[in-house]
Amino acid sequence: MAEIWLAIDTSTENLGVALFSEDEAACDVYSQRVWRDQSTRLHPQIAAMLDAKGMDVADLAGVVACRGPGSFTGVRLGM
């Protein structure tokens, strides 16, 4: 099985989460404008995406996070 990576982008008003592997451009992608609701929606969205694939956080090869530019709080949530 290919290594699956988690990508997080919280640097804007959009919440972006993706699961991807090197052999597939994108396995699963979620993007929605959530404004200031990122802190309550990030972890449930990650959990839902992993559950849908039958995976756990320990199964991930790694995590990629956007470092900005963007709001301090938004970038901090992603990190």
Side-chain angles (χ1 to χ4, degrees):
M1 183 175 174
E3 292 183 330
I4 304 291
W5 289 76
L6 170 65
I8 301 170
D9 184 0
T10 55
S11 62
T12 68
E13 67 272 2
N14 294 323
L15 172 59
V17 180
L19 294 173
F20 68 95
S21 65
E22 290 183 12
D23 61 348
E24 298 178 46
C27 298
D28 198 8
V29 177
Y30 172 85
S31 180
Q32 185 173 3
R33 183 168 286 158
V34 296
W35 300 102
R36 296 176 186 231
D37 200 25
Q38 292 176 339
S39 64
T40 60
R41 297 182 72 181
L42 176 62
H43 291 108
Q45 184 59 44
I46 292 170
M49 291 172 79
L50 290 173
D51 286 347
K53 294 239 180 260
M55 296 178 64
D56 190 66
V57 173
D59 297 327
L60 293 171
V63 178
V64 179
C66 182
R67 63 182 184 138
S71 74
F72 171 79
T73 301
V75 172
R76 182 177 57 96
L77 284 171
M79 295 292 173

